[in-house]
Amino acid sequence: MSERKVLNKYYPPDFDPSKIPKLKLPKDRQYVVRLMAPFNMRCKTCGEYIYKGKKFNARKETVQTELYMGLPIFRFYIKCTRCLAEITFKTDPENTDYAMEHGATRNFQAEKLIEEEEKKLQREREEEELNNPMKVLENRTKDSKLEMEVLENLQELKELNQRQASVDFEGMLHIHREREEKERERQEEEDERETRAMLDRALVKRLRDSDSDSEEESRGPPESSGKPTDILSQNPSGPGPQLKKPKLESWERSVGKLGGAGGLAGLVRKKQSPAAPLERNPATQPDRSQTGPGSSPAPQNRVSSLSMLGLYSDSEESE
């Protein structure tokens, strides 16, 4: 597959460029170009104003009878936006501008007229000086006198302004310079103060870090406490750290524990049953002779205060 954007084309070995037919186009042919109006103009037919910069689809042709220093001059044809009358203008390379030709009038431009008048006067003066050397001397004398008069008038105006002026400009400039110097000195002092404060803070922080490092080194490595669950199996009377007993709640301080012999334990009495006490079964009772002197007897079941309250209520109902 060939490229879409071809840069180099293929020329066969028997290619002869002289055999290519040339198009014979007329020299006064016209091209359609897109341009903007080069100046403000007014249509002669309807009086419509066409302002500079308005875009047109114009026809361009080369003027066959006019040349300026070998440069061709082009003519442009546009149509009025209101009445469609034809307006023509052409290039003016001598003045680097455009010249109005037909169908409209160029709006008044004082600046261009002044420039043209100055150029005309300068051209006439140069022609006079070229043929008459005494005229050159007269013109130079006039120019020098005019320059001296201008300088004298300027000096008189300066002196008049200085007499009438009540403001000392030199004093104002001196005060302004002093103010700038004071502001610069104050700014430098603030910068130095901020820099000094930053250095002091950095030094204090460094000293604190060094003190903390020395304290950690003096303490030594922390003692290993073993497994985390060893604290649960430690003896409260042992050398290890003891667990803090939970604080008694308000209701325990006022009423007492339910399972212990609190304040309510003495108020309840157990109902005496008339039946004879049960005989102890020697098979179920432990043998005290087999136990050693240091061994403690088997723990007995303790009666809680709630159970005693239940028994007391039962005895009242039975009575």
Side-chain angles (χ1 to χ4, degrees):
M1 184 176 178
S2 61
E3 295 182 4
R4 185 171 63 88
K5 294 182 178 181
V6 181
L7 300 178
N8 298 324
K9 296 183 178 180
Y10 173 73
Y11 294 96
D14 55 348
F15 175 72
D16 188 4
S18 61
K19 295 180 179 180
I20 299 175
K22 294 182 180 180
L23 296 176
K24 294 182 179 180
L25 298 175
K27 293 183 179 181
D28 57 347
R29 64 183 181 276
Q30 296 181 353
Y31 300 94
V32 178
V33 294
R34 182 79 170 172
L35 57 78
M36 292 186 293
F39 45 79
N40 299 332
M41 64 185 79
R42 185 181 182 184
C43 179
K44 289 182 178 180
T45 305
C46 62
E48 177 71 13
Y49 284 97
I50 299 173
Y51 297 97
K52 179 181 180 181
K54 190 172 181 60
K55 293 184 179 181
F56 292 93
N57 292 325
R59 292 179 288 115
K60 184 187 80 168
E61 68 176 7
T62 305
V63 181
Q64 300 296 326
T65 59
E66 295 182 15
L67 284 175
Y68 175 75
M69 299 179 66
L71 298 176
I73 295 175
F74 301 101
R75 181 181 288 113
F76 299 94
Y77 298 87
I78 62 174
K79 290 186 178 181
C80 177
T81 55
R82 184 177 180 183
C83 64
L84 301 179
E86 192 173 60
I87 300 172
T88 61
F89 57 89
K90 59 183 179 180
T91 58
D92 186 9
E94 182 179 0
N95 300 317
T96 62
D97 198 3
Y98 291 85
M100 195 70 221
E101 192 174 19
H102 175 72
T105 57
R106 187 168 181 172
N107 290 357
F108 180 76
Q109 293 182 352
E111 184 178 357
K112 183 180 180 183
L113 295 178
I114 291 172
E115 290 179 357
E116 291 179 354
E117 190 67 24
E118 289 179 353
K119 288 181 180 178
K120 183 178 179 181
L121 294 175
Q122 185 69 19
R123 194 180 304 110
E124 292 177 356
R125 181 177 177 178
E126 290 177 356
E127 290 178 356
E128 290 179 358
E129 292 177 354
L130 183 62
N131 300 324
N132 191 356
M134 293 300 295
K135 193 69 175 179
V136 176
L137 184 58
E138 290 178 2
N139 291 334
R140 288 180 182 177
T141 306
K142 287 180 181 180
D143 292 340
S144 61
K145 286 182 179 181
L146 181 62
E147 186 176 357
M148 292 295 293
E149 290 177 0
V150 170
L151 291 175
E152 289 177 359
N153 294 333
L154 182 60
Q155 188 67 25
E156 289 178 0
L157 291 174
K158 286 183 178 180
E159 292 177 356
L160 181 61
N161 291 334
Q162 288 179 0
R163 286 196 302 268
Q164 294 179 355
S166 60
V167 181
D168 187 8
F169 295 101
E170 297 296 333
M172 291 177 62
L173 292 175
H174 183 67
I175 293 171
H176 182 66
R177 293 192 193 98
E178 289 181 353
R179 190 177 301 169
E180 286 183 350
E181 290 291 335
K182 290 180 180 179
E183 184 68 21
R184 191 182 300 107
E185 291 176 359
R186 186 182 62 82
Q187 189 69 24
E188 290 178 357
E189 290 178 359
E190 289 181 359
D191 295 343
E192 290 179 359
R193 195 181 305 111
E194 291 179 359
T195 306
R196 195 179 302 107
M198 291 174 63
L199 293 175
D200 293 342
R201 287 197 295 269
L203 181 60
V204 170
K205 184 178 179 181
R206 191 178 302 169
L207 292 175
R208 288 178 181 175
D209 295 341
S210 61
D211 293 342
S212 60
D213 294 341
S214 61
E215 289 178 0
E216 291 178 359
E217 291 177 358
S218 62
R219 289 176 185 174
E223 297 179 357
S224 60
S225 59
K227 297 180 180 179
T229 56
D230 291 346
I231 190 172
L232 300 177
S233 60
Q234 288 179 357
N235 189 4
S237 61
Q242 298 182 2
L243 296 175
K244 293 183 180 180
K245 295 181 179 181
K247 295 182 179 180
L248 296 175
E249 301 294 336
S250 61
W251 60 273
E252 288 183 356
R253 290 196 299 268
S254 61
V255 179
K257 293 183 179 180
L258 297 178
L264 295 178
L267 299 176
V268 181
R269 292 183 180 180
K270 187 176 181 181
K271 184 177 180 182
Q272 299 292 337
S273 59
L278 297 175
E279 295 181 357
R280 295 180 179 178
N281 189 4
T284 59
Q285 295 295 332
D287 190 2
R288 293 180 179 272
S289 61
Q290 293 179 2
T291 59
S295 61
S296 61
Q300 299 179 0
N301 294 331
R302 302 177 64 182
V303 181
S304 63
S305 59
L306 290 177
S307 60
M308 295 174 69
L309 285 172
L311 293 174
Y312 180 74
S313 63
D314 294 339
S315 63
E316 288 181 354
E317 290 175 0
S318 60
E319 289 176 359

